[in-house]
Amino acid sequence: LSYSLTLAEMVQHEMVRATGAADRGVRQNAFYVIRYARSPAILVEVGFVSNSDEGSKLATDAYQSLLAQALAQGILDF
């Protein structure tokens, strides 16, 4: 789980850097899909569609691409 935490922190850093979104931090929980993974594993929440600002951004190809690139960079940094 320590590798998963490191991966999560690196991805979080890149996502915040790329988007300028508020850093809500990394939260830990022993979800089954993470606890029993044989490699580092994380769950990523990229925004809230119910939030009017985030929801409209999430609907655009440009923002989705930005999120995907930040996610990939965090994984590569790991």
Side-chain angles (χ1 to χ4, degrees):
L1 290 176
S2 66
Y3 287 120
S4 294
L5 178 59
T6 300
L7 173 59
E9 289 169 344
M10 293 180 140
V11 168
Q12 175 74 2
H13 173 78
E14 284 301 318
M15 299 290 272
V16 169
R17 183 196 61 74
T19 64
D23 188 345
R24 295 184 179 105
V26 171
R27 298 196 180 129
Q28 295 182 40
N29 204 327
F31 291 111
Y32 183 88
V33 295
I34 295 173
R35 187 175 55 222
Y36 292 106
R38 293 182 181 223
S39 61
I42 61 174
L43 297 174
V44 179
E45 196 170 82
V46 296
F48 301 96
V49 295
S50 59
N51 179 296
S52 59
D53 292 333
E54 288 182 343
S56 60
K57 287 181 188 177
L58 288 167
T60 68
D61 290 340
Y63 194 70
Q64 291 173 22
S65 179
L66 181 69
L67 291 170
Q69 289 171 2
L71 178 59
Q73 188 59 55
I75 293 168
L76 290 171
D77 291 348
F78 175 75

